[in-house]
Amino acid sequence: MAEFRNIGVLTSGGDAPGMNATVRAVTRAALAQGVQVYGIYEGYQGLMDDLPADPVTHFPGSLIKLDAYAVTNIINHGATILKSARAVDFKTEEGMQKAIATCKRHNIDGIIAIGGDGTFRGATDLTNRGIPCIGLPGTIDNDITATDESIGFDTAMNTCVSLIDKLRDTCESHARCNVVEVMGRNAGYVALETGIAVGASGIMVCECPYSEEEIFENIINAKKQGKRSFVVVIAEGVKFAKEDAGIKNYCEDFAKRLEAATGVETKFCRPAHILRGGDPTLRDRLLASRMGYEAVRLLLEGKSKLVVCEQKGDIVSVDINYALILDRMYKNKLKPGDLDAFTAEQQAEMRAFCEVKKKEFDEMYNVSKVIGAYPEA
Ligand code: F6P
Protein backbone atom coordinates (compact mmCIF):
# COMPACT_ATOMS: atom_id res chain seq x y z
CA MET A 1 0.00 0.00 0.00
CA ALA A 2 1.32 3.46 -0.92
CA GLU A 3 2.18 5.72 2.01
CA PHE A 4 -0.39 8.46 2.53
CA ARG A 5 -0.01 11.15 5.16
CA ASN A 6 -2.94 13.37 4.25
CA ILE A 7 -5.54 13.30 1.53
CA GLY A 8 -7.70 16.17 0.32
CA VAL A 9 -11.38 16.06 -0.54
CA LEU A 10 -13.12 18.72 -2.59
CA THR A 11 -16.46 19.44 -4.23
CA SER A 12 -16.33 21.26 -7.53
CA GLY A 13 -18.62 22.56 -10.28
CA GLY A 14 -22.39 22.70 -9.77
CA ASP A 15 -23.32 21.48 -6.30
CA ALA A 16 -25.54 18.43 -5.84
CA PRO A 17 -27.43 16.98 -2.88
CA GLY A 18 -25.40 14.12 -1.43
CA MET A 19 -22.06 15.88 -1.74
CA ASN A 20 -21.98 16.20 2.07
CA ALA A 21 -22.69 12.51 2.48
CA THR A 22 -19.77 11.85 0.14
CA VAL A 23 -17.40 14.10 2.11
CA ARG A 24 -18.45 12.29 5.27
CA ALA A 25 -17.84 8.85 3.76
CA VAL A 26 -14.43 9.86 2.39
CA THR A 27 -13.37 11.38 5.71
CA ARG A 28 -14.47 8.48 7.87
CA ALA A 29 -13.05 5.86 5.50
CA ALA A 30 -9.67 7.60 5.39
CA LEU A 31 -9.51 8.17 9.16
CA ALA A 32 -10.27 4.48 9.65
CA GLN A 33 -7.03 3.77 7.76
CA GLY A 34 -5.04 6.25 9.83
CA VAL A 35 -4.92 8.85 7.06
CA GLN A 36 -5.71 12.48 7.86
CA VAL A 37 -8.12 14.44 5.71
CA TYR A 38 -8.17 18.05 4.53
CA GLY A 39 -11.44 19.46 3.26
CA ILE A 40 -10.58 21.88 0.47
CA TYR A 41 -12.86 24.89 0.54
CA GLU A 42 -14.40 26.05 -2.78
CA GLY A 43 -13.00 23.20 -4.86
CA TYR A 44 -9.98 23.69 -7.08
CA GLN A 45 -10.14 27.44 -6.36
CA GLY A 46 -9.30 26.76 -2.72
CA LEU A 47 -6.53 24.40 -3.73
CA MET A 48 -4.95 27.18 -5.79
CA ASP A 49 -5.55 29.98 -3.26
CA ASP A 50 -4.62 28.23 0.01
CA LEU A 51 -5.95 31.19 2.00
CA PRO A 52 -5.69 31.39 5.80
CA ALA A 53 -8.76 31.45 8.04
CA ASP A 54 -10.31 34.86 8.69
CA PRO A 55 -12.14 35.06 12.02
CA VAL A 56 -13.75 38.37 11.06
CA THR A 57 -15.53 37.06 7.96
CA HIS A 58 -15.76 33.52 9.40
CA PHE A 59 -13.84 32.22 6.38
CA PRO A 60 -12.51 28.88 7.62
CA GLY A 61 -9.37 28.86 5.46
CA SER A 62 -8.94 27.07 2.14
CA LEU A 63 -7.82 23.89 3.87
CA ILE A 64 -9.82 22.55 6.79
CA LYS A 65 -8.63 19.59 8.80
CA LEU A 66 -11.56 17.17 8.98
CA ASP A 67 -11.86 14.85 11.94
CA ALA A 68 -14.69 12.38 12.50
CA TYR A 69 -16.75 14.98 14.36
CA ALA A 70 -16.32 17.62 11.64
CA VAL A 71 -18.48 15.52 9.34
CA THR A 72 -21.05 14.53 11.90
CA ASN A 73 -24.70 15.27 11.07
CA ILE A 74 -24.00 16.29 7.50
CA ILE A 75 -25.16 13.11 5.74
CA ASN A 76 -28.72 14.44 5.91
CA HIS A 77 -28.07 17.94 4.56
CA GLY A 78 -28.08 19.42 1.08
CA ALA A 79 -25.45 21.79 -0.38
CA THR A 80 -21.79 21.15 0.42
CA ILE A 81 -20.05 22.15 3.64
CA LEU A 82 -16.88 22.53 1.55
CA LYS A 83 -18.67 24.92 -0.85
CA SER A 84 -18.07 24.78 -4.56
CA ALA A 85 -16.81 26.95 -7.39
CA ARG A 86 -16.20 26.77 -11.11
CA ALA A 87 -12.45 27.56 -11.08
CA VAL A 88 -11.53 28.97 -14.48
CA ASP A 89 -7.85 29.59 -13.61
CA PHE A 90 -7.36 25.96 -12.72
CA LYS A 91 -7.29 25.20 -16.44
CA THR A 92 -4.04 27.18 -16.79
CA GLU A 93 -0.58 25.75 -16.09
CA GLU A 94 -0.01 28.55 -13.57
CA GLY A 95 -3.18 27.62 -11.67
CA MET A 96 -2.20 23.97 -11.75
CA GLN A 97 1.24 24.73 -10.33
CA LYS A 98 -0.31 26.76 -7.50
CA ALA A 99 -2.51 23.78 -6.64
CA ILE A 100 0.46 21.43 -6.64
CA ALA A 101 2.42 23.81 -4.40
CA THR A 102 -0.48 23.78 -1.92
CA CYS A 103 -0.45 19.98 -1.88
CA LYS A 104 3.31 19.95 -1.25
CA ARG A 105 3.05 22.57 1.52
CA HIS A 106 0.46 20.53 3.41
CA ASN A 107 1.76 17.04 2.61
CA ILE A 108 -1.38 16.17 0.68
CA ASP A 109 -0.56 12.92 -1.09
CA GLY A 110 -3.80 12.42 -2.98
CA ILE A 111 -7.15 14.03 -3.71
CA ILE A 112 -10.71 12.85 -4.04
CA ALA A 113 -12.65 15.21 -6.28
CA ILE A 114 -16.45 15.19 -6.34
CA GLY A 115 -18.18 16.78 -9.33
CA GLY A 116 -18.87 16.40 -13.03
CA ASP A 117 -16.76 16.07 -16.16
CA GLY A 118 -14.93 19.39 -15.61
CA THR A 119 -13.92 18.15 -12.16
CA PHE A 120 -12.59 14.93 -13.67
CA ARG A 121 -10.50 16.81 -16.23
CA GLY A 122 -8.92 18.74 -13.34
CA ALA A 123 -8.30 15.47 -11.50
CA THR A 124 -6.56 14.04 -14.57
CA ASP A 125 -4.33 17.09 -14.94
CA LEU A 126 -3.33 16.92 -11.27
CA THR A 127 -2.62 13.19 -11.44
CA ASN A 128 -0.45 13.76 -14.52
CA ARG A 129 1.58 16.22 -12.46
CA GLY A 130 2.15 13.82 -9.59
CA ILE A 131 -0.86 14.24 -7.28
CA PRO A 132 -2.95 11.07 -7.56
CA CYS A 133 -6.67 11.76 -7.79
CA ILE A 134 -9.88 9.77 -7.81
CA GLY A 135 -13.11 11.29 -9.16
CA LEU A 136 -16.61 10.81 -7.82
CA PRO A 137 -19.65 11.69 -9.96
CA GLY A 138 -21.62 14.39 -8.16
CA THR A 139 -24.11 16.15 -10.41
CA ILE A 140 -27.88 16.36 -10.65
CA ASP A 141 -27.64 16.00 -14.43
CA ASN A 142 -26.73 12.28 -14.44
CA ASP A 143 -24.72 13.03 -17.55
CA ILE A 144 -21.64 10.92 -16.77
CA THR A 145 -22.10 8.10 -19.25
CA ALA A 146 -19.94 5.59 -17.37
CA THR A 147 -22.19 5.58 -14.31
CA ASP A 148 -25.83 4.57 -14.20
CA GLU A 149 -26.45 7.24 -11.58
CA SER A 150 -24.59 10.23 -10.25
CA ILE A 151 -24.81 11.54 -6.69
CA GLY A 152 -27.60 14.15 -6.50
CA PHE A 153 -29.66 12.90 -9.41
CA ASP A 154 -32.21 11.01 -7.33
CA THR A 155 -32.76 13.93 -4.96
CA ALA A 156 -33.11 16.42 -7.82
CA MET A 157 -35.71 14.19 -9.44
CA ASN A 158 -37.65 13.78 -6.21
CA THR A 159 -37.62 17.55 -5.69
CA CYS A 160 -38.83 18.02 -9.25
CA VAL A 161 -41.61 15.46 -8.85
CA SER A 162 -42.82 17.08 -5.67
CA LEU A 163 -42.86 20.52 -7.34
CA ILE A 164 -44.73 19.28 -10.39
CA ASP A 165 -47.23 17.38 -8.23
CA LYS A 166 -48.06 20.72 -6.61
CA LEU A 167 -48.47 22.34 -10.01
CA ARG A 168 -50.70 19.43 -10.97
CA ASP A 169 -53.00 20.13 -8.02
CA THR A 170 -53.67 23.68 -9.07
CA CYS A 171 -53.85 22.75 -12.76
CA GLU A 172 -56.57 20.26 -11.93
CA SER A 173 -58.60 22.87 -10.03
CA HIS A 174 -58.36 25.39 -12.86
CA ALA A 175 -58.29 23.10 -15.90
CA ARG A 176 -54.85 24.31 -16.93
CA CYS A 177 -51.61 23.05 -18.36
CA ASN A 178 -48.14 23.69 -16.98
CA VAL A 179 -45.05 23.58 -19.15
CA VAL A 180 -42.04 22.91 -16.92
CA GLU A 181 -38.44 23.38 -18.02
CA VAL A 182 -36.02 21.35 -15.91
CA MET A 183 -32.27 21.43 -15.49
CA GLY A 184 -29.96 18.69 -16.72
CA ARG A 185 -27.64 20.65 -18.99
CA ASN A 186 -27.63 18.74 -22.31
CA ALA A 187 -28.89 15.49 -20.81
CA GLY A 188 -32.56 14.56 -20.68
CA TYR A 189 -32.49 12.16 -17.73
CA VAL A 190 -34.08 14.50 -15.18
CA ALA A 191 -36.79 15.53 -17.65
CA LEU A 192 -37.55 12.02 -18.85
CA GLU A 193 -37.67 10.26 -15.50
CA THR A 194 -39.59 12.99 -13.70
CA GLY A 195 -41.88 13.37 -16.71
CA ILE A 196 -42.82 9.70 -16.43
CA ALA A 197 -43.24 9.97 -12.67
CA VAL A 198 -45.64 12.92 -12.86
CA GLY A 199 -47.66 11.44 -15.71
CA ALA A 200 -46.69 14.14 -18.20
CA SER A 201 -48.73 14.50 -21.38
CA GLY A 202 -45.54 15.35 -23.24
CA ILE A 203 -41.79 15.18 -22.66
CA MET A 204 -39.14 16.85 -24.78
CA VAL A 205 -35.49 15.82 -24.56
CA CYS A 206 -32.60 16.29 -26.97
CA GLU A 207 -31.84 12.58 -27.14
CA CYS A 208 -35.10 11.61 -28.88
CA PRO A 209 -37.19 13.16 -31.65
CA TYR A 210 -40.27 14.97 -30.37
CA SER A 211 -43.19 16.64 -32.08
CA GLU A 212 -45.04 19.69 -30.77
CA GLU A 213 -48.05 18.67 -32.90
CA GLU A 214 -48.16 15.23 -31.32
CA ILE A 215 -48.21 16.78 -27.84
CA PHE A 216 -51.00 19.19 -28.85
CA GLU A 217 -53.03 16.30 -30.32
CA ASN A 218 -52.55 14.26 -27.18
CA ILE A 219 -53.82 17.08 -25.00
CA ILE A 220 -56.78 17.78 -27.29
CA ASN A 221 -57.79 14.10 -27.24
CA ALA A 222 -57.41 13.84 -23.48
CA LYS A 223 -59.42 17.04 -22.94
CA LYS A 224 -62.24 15.60 -25.06
CA GLN A 225 -62.30 12.60 -22.71
CA GLY A 226 -62.61 14.76 -19.62
CA LYS A 227 -59.01 15.32 -18.55
CA ARG A 228 -58.60 18.76 -16.93
CA SER A 229 -54.94 19.09 -15.98
CA PHE A 230 -51.85 18.70 -18.13
CA VAL A 231 -48.11 18.80 -17.63
CA VAL A 232 -45.41 18.98 -20.29
CA VAL A 233 -41.78 18.58 -19.17
CA ILE A 234 -38.96 20.01 -21.28
CA ALA A 235 -35.26 19.37 -20.70
CA GLU A 236 -33.28 22.61 -20.59
CA GLY A 237 -30.99 21.02 -23.20
CA VAL A 238 -33.82 21.49 -25.72
CA LYS A 239 -33.75 25.20 -24.96
CA PHE A 240 -29.95 25.28 -25.31
CA ALA A 241 -30.18 23.54 -28.71
CA LYS A 242 -32.80 26.08 -29.86
CA GLU A 243 -30.62 28.94 -28.61
CA ASP A 244 -27.72 27.54 -30.63
CA ALA A 245 -30.05 27.70 -33.64
CA GLY A 246 -30.86 31.36 -32.86
CA ILE A 247 -34.26 30.72 -31.23
CA LYS A 248 -34.78 32.45 -27.91
CA ASN A 249 -37.44 31.70 -25.23
CA TYR A 250 -38.37 28.41 -26.85
CA CYS A 251 -40.03 26.94 -23.75
CA GLU A 252 -42.08 30.05 -22.91
CA ASP A 253 -43.18 30.38 -26.54
CA PHE A 254 -44.03 26.70 -26.73
CA ALA A 255 -46.38 27.22 -23.78
CA LYS A 256 -48.14 29.99 -25.72
CA ARG A 257 -48.39 27.83 -28.85
CA LEU A 258 -49.79 25.00 -26.75
CA GLU A 259 -52.49 27.25 -25.32
CA ALA A 260 -53.43 28.51 -28.79
CA ALA A 261 -53.52 25.01 -30.30
CA THR A 262 -55.42 23.25 -27.52
CA GLY A 263 -57.53 25.97 -25.94
CA VAL A 264 -56.12 24.97 -22.53
CA GLU A 265 -54.84 27.88 -20.44
CA THR A 266 -51.12 27.24 -20.05
CA LYS A 267 -48.59 28.48 -17.50
CA PHE A 268 -44.83 28.23 -17.71
CA CYS A 269 -42.52 27.24 -14.85
CA ARG A 270 -38.73 26.98 -14.57
CA PRO A 271 -37.69 25.54 -11.17
CA ALA A 272 -34.02 26.03 -12.16
CA HIS A 273 -31.56 25.78 -9.23
CA ILE A 274 -34.26 24.65 -6.79
CA LEU A 275 -33.43 21.15 -8.05
CA ARG A 276 -29.89 21.53 -6.73
CA GLY A 277 -30.98 22.17 -3.15
CA GLY A 278 -32.58 20.11 -0.40
CA ASP A 279 -31.71 17.15 1.77
CA PRO A 280 -30.49 14.08 -0.08
CA THR A 281 -32.74 11.07 -0.51
CA LEU A 282 -31.90 7.66 0.90
CA ARG A 283 -30.71 6.56 -2.53
CA ASP A 284 -28.27 9.47 -2.82
CA ARG A 285 -26.99 9.03 0.73
CA LEU A 286 -26.36 5.37 0.04
CA LEU A 287 -24.70 5.97 -3.30
CA ALA A 288 -22.55 8.73 -1.79
CA SER A 289 -21.51 6.52 1.10
CA ARG A 290 -20.64 3.53 -1.07
CA MET A 291 -18.78 5.62 -3.63
CA GLY A 292 -16.90 7.68 -1.02
CA TYR A 293 -15.72 4.54 0.71
CA GLU A 294 -14.60 2.98 -2.57
CA ALA A 295 -12.72 6.11 -3.64
CA VAL A 296 -10.63 6.02 -0.47
CA ARG A 297 -10.00 2.30 -0.85
CA LEU A 298 -8.73 2.80 -4.40
CA LEU A 299 -6.59 5.83 -3.58
CA LEU A 300 -4.92 4.19 -0.59
CA GLU A 301 -4.29 1.11 -2.69
CA GLY A 302 -2.16 3.30 -4.92
CA LYS A 303 -4.72 3.70 -7.73
CA SER A 304 -5.41 7.04 -9.41
CA LYS A 305 -7.04 8.70 -12.42
CA LEU A 306 -10.18 6.65 -11.87
CA VAL A 307 -13.79 7.65 -11.55
CA VAL A 308 -16.00 5.58 -9.27
CA CYS A 309 -19.22 4.52 -10.98
CA GLU A 310 -22.34 2.50 -10.36
CA GLN A 311 -23.11 -0.05 -13.03
CA LYS A 312 -26.10 -2.37 -12.66
CA GLY A 313 -26.03 -1.93 -8.89
CA ASP A 314 -22.29 -2.60 -8.49
CA ILE A 315 -19.75 0.02 -7.47
CA VAL A 316 -16.95 -0.14 -10.03
CA SER A 317 -14.14 2.14 -11.19
CA VAL A 318 -13.34 3.36 -14.67
CA ASP A 319 -10.25 5.13 -16.01
CA ILE A 320 -11.09 8.85 -16.09
CA ASN A 321 -9.93 9.36 -19.66
CA TYR A 322 -11.95 6.33 -20.74
CA ALA A 323 -14.99 7.79 -18.97
CA LEU A 324 -14.54 11.22 -20.58
CA ILE A 325 -14.15 9.80 -24.09
CA LEU A 326 -17.05 7.41 -23.53
CA ASP A 327 -19.08 10.49 -22.66
CA ARG A 328 -18.14 12.20 -25.89
CA MET A 329 -18.94 9.06 -27.84
CA TYR A 330 -22.38 8.78 -26.23
CA LYS A 331 -23.08 12.45 -26.91
CA ASN A 332 -21.78 12.25 -30.50
CA LYS A 333 -19.06 14.76 -29.68
CA LEU A 334 -15.93 12.74 -30.44
CA LYS A 335 -13.02 14.85 -31.67
CA PRO A 336 -10.41 13.63 -34.16
CA GLY A 337 -7.83 11.52 -32.35
CA ASP A 338 -10.03 10.93 -29.28
CA LEU A 339 -10.00 7.18 -29.79
CA ASP A 340 -6.30 6.87 -30.60
CA ALA A 341 -5.38 5.90 -27.05
CA PHE A 342 -7.77 2.94 -27.08
CA THR A 343 -7.36 -0.53 -28.54
CA ALA A 344 -9.85 -1.80 -31.12
CA GLU A 345 -11.28 -4.04 -28.43
CA GLN A 346 -11.80 -1.10 -26.04
CA GLN A 347 -13.40 0.96 -28.78
CA ALA A 348 -15.82 -1.87 -29.55
CA GLU A 349 -16.60 -2.18 -25.84
CA MET A 350 -17.26 1.57 -25.63
CA ARG A 351 -19.55 1.48 -28.66
CA ALA A 352 -21.48 -1.46 -27.21
CA PHE A 353 -21.81 0.34 -23.86
CA CYS A 354 -23.19 3.46 -25.55
CA GLU A 355 -25.60 1.43 -27.65
CA VAL A 356 -27.05 -0.30 -24.58
CA LYS A 357 -27.34 3.01 -22.74
CA LYS A 358 -29.04 4.70 -25.68
CA LYS A 359 -31.39 1.73 -26.13
CA GLU A 360 -32.40 1.91 -22.47
CA PHE A 361 -33.04 5.64 -22.78
CA ASP A 362 -35.07 5.22 -25.98
CA GLU A 363 -37.14 2.46 -24.41
CA MET A 364 -37.88 4.66 -21.43
CA TYR A 365 -38.89 7.51 -23.75
CA ASN A 366 -41.16 5.16 -25.64
CA VAL A 367 -42.79 4.06 -22.38
CA SER A 368 -43.37 7.71 -21.48
CA LYS A 369 -45.10 8.33 -24.78
CA VAL A 370 -47.35 5.29 -24.61
CA ILE A 371 -48.49 5.74 -21.03
CA GLY A 372 -48.69 9.54 -21.23
CA ALA A 373 -50.97 9.35 -24.26
CA TYR A 374 -54.74 9.54 -24.60
CA PRO A 375 -55.50 7.88 -27.89
CA GLU A 376 -58.61 9.14 -29.67
CA ALA A 377 -61.67 7.55 -28.00
O1 F6P B 1 -24.53 20.80 -13.95
C1 F6P B 1 -25.51 21.13 -13.02
C2 F6P B 1 -26.33 22.30 -13.51
O2 F6P B 1 -27.27 22.62 -12.49
C3 F6P B 1 -27.03 22.12 -14.85
O3 F6P B 1 -28.20 21.36 -14.73
C4 F6P B 1 -27.26 23.55 -15.25
O4 F6P B 1 -27.36 23.69 -16.65
C5 F6P B 1 -26.03 24.25 -14.72
O5 F6P B 1 -25.50 23.41 -13.70
C6 F6P B 1 -26.28 25.60 -14.12
O6 F6P B 1 -25.05 26.15 -13.79
P1 F6P B 1 -24.82 27.37 -12.78
O7 F6P B 1 -25.00 26.86 -11.40
O8 F6P B 1 -23.43 27.78 -13.03
O9 F6P B 1 -25.86 28.37 -13.12
Side-chain angles (χ1 to χ4, degrees):
M1 196 192 264
E3 273 303 310
F4 281 84
R5 294 161 294 181
N6 301 294
I7 64 165
V9 57
L10 59 85
T11 50
S12 161
D15 61 352
M19 280 183 161
N20 279 333
T22 322
V23 171
R24 172 181 180 270
V26 166
T27 304
R28 295 271 172 87
L31 291 174
Q33 297 299 319
V35 175
Q36 299 304 306
V37 183
Y38 278 111
I40 299 158
Y41 208 71
E42 294 185 334
Y44 292 123
Q45 192 63 47
L47 198 61
M48 288 186 290
D49 294 345
D50 190 14
L51 298 171
D54 182 343
V56 176
T57 61
H58 302 282
F59 180 74
S62 298
L63 267 66
I64 312 157
K65 199 122 195 169
L66 298 177
D67 58 16
Y69 185 75
V71 293
T72 211
N73 292 344
I74 64 167
I75 193 169
N76 50 335
H77 291 304
T80 156
I81 59 160
L82 298 179
K83 317 304 177 199
S84 189
R86 299 195 195 272
V88 184
D89 289 354
F90 191 64
K91 291 186 184 138
T92 65
E93 189 55 39
E94 199 191 338
M96 194 65 57
Q97 289 308 327
K98 280 192 199 163
I100 289 165
T102 304
C103 291
K104 298 241 160 84
R105 237 180 343 265
H106 297 275
N107 297 324
I108 294 176
D109 300 316
I111 285 182
I112 292 177
I114 309 158
D117 51 4
T119 308
F120 301 154
R121 268 188 288 274
T124 306
D125 291 342
L126 269 182
T127 307
N128 289 343
R129 286 163 182 78
I131 309 290
C133 295
I134 301 280
L136 287 173
T139 164
I140 64 159
D141 301 338
N142 200 31
D143 61 348
I144 314 285
T145 306
T147 188
D148 291 345
E149 282 205 12
S150 55
I151 297 159
F153 172 55
D154 186 60
T155 307
M157 286 198 302
N158 276 287
T159 303
C160 196
V161 164
S162 126
L163 282 172
I164 298 178
D165 284 349
K166 291 179 177 70
L167 289 173
R168 170 76 77 181
D169 285 348
T170 165
C171 279
E172 182 65 22
S173 304
H174 291 269
R176 283 179 181 151
C177 175
N178 235 292
V179 170
V180 187
E181 177 201 310
V182 302
M183 274 195 171
R185 208 174 282 271
N186 301 111
Y189 279 103
V190 179
L192 178 55
E193 297 197 21
T194 58
I196 292 173
V198 299
S201 297
I203 300 172
M204 293 187 198
V205 292
C206 293
E207 292 89 336
C208 301
Y210 53 82
S211 147
E212 288 192 0
E213 279 308 316
E214 216 176 298
I215 295 173
F216 299 159
E217 279 305 308
N218 187 26
I219 291 176
I220 290 165
N221 285 330
K223 190 180 157 195
K224 275 189 208 147
Q225 293 170 61
K227 189 168 170 61
R228 287 173 62 84
S229 64
F230 305 91
V231 169
V232 176
V233 180
I234 311 183
E236 67 172 354
V238 169
K239 173 185 74 182
F240 295 149
K242 294 288 179 190
E243 280 170 357
D244 287 348
I247 300 165
K248 292 209 171 76
N249 303 321
Y250 173 76
C251 300
E252 292 91 330
D253 290 346
F254 169 76
K256 288 180 196 149
R257 283 196 293 280
L258 190 151
E259 179 168 309
T262 62
V264 177
E265 186 185 358
T266 302
K267 303 283 179 189
F268 173 71
C269 172
R270 179 184 290 127
H273 293 77
I274 293 173
L275 301 198
R276 296 236 299 255
D279 299 338
T281 57
L282 175 146
R283 216 157 118 184
D284 272 330
R285 294 180 201 192
L286 201 55
L287 188 63
S289 301
R290 293 173 76 200
M291 285 184 161
Y293 173 89
E294 179 65 0
V296 171
R297 194 188 68 75
L298 290 166
L299 190 65
L300 299 191
E301 222 177 52
K303 307 263 173 59
S304 62
K305 244 202 279 189
L306 295 173
V307 53
V308 178
C309 298
E310 188 200 39
Q311 292 180 357
K312 310 281 171 239
D314 292 331
I315 300 296
V316 299
S317 59
V318 176
D319 174 81
I320 288 189
N321 193 42
Y322 184 99
L324 290 173
I325 301 302
L326 186 73
D327 241 12
R328 287 203 207 140
M329 181 183 272
Y330 184 71
K331 294 166 189 164
N332 288 322
K333 286 185 176 164
L334 278 179
K335 296 181 191 155
D338 267 356
L339 293 173
D340 290 356
F342 302 101
T343 63
E345 202 183 1
Q346 282 175 315
Q347 291 180 30
E349 181 189 88
M350 288 160 112
R351 274 192 206 95
F353 190 93
C354 291
E355 271 164 30
V356 171
K357 193 137 184 161
K358 180 76 177 78
K359 190 164 166 268
E360 284 169 358
F361 192 95
D362 289 349
E363 278 171 8
M364 199 156 40
Y365 188 70
N366 190 43
V367 167
S368 81
K369 282 182 76 170
V370 174
I371 64 174
Y374 259 66
E376 230 169 315

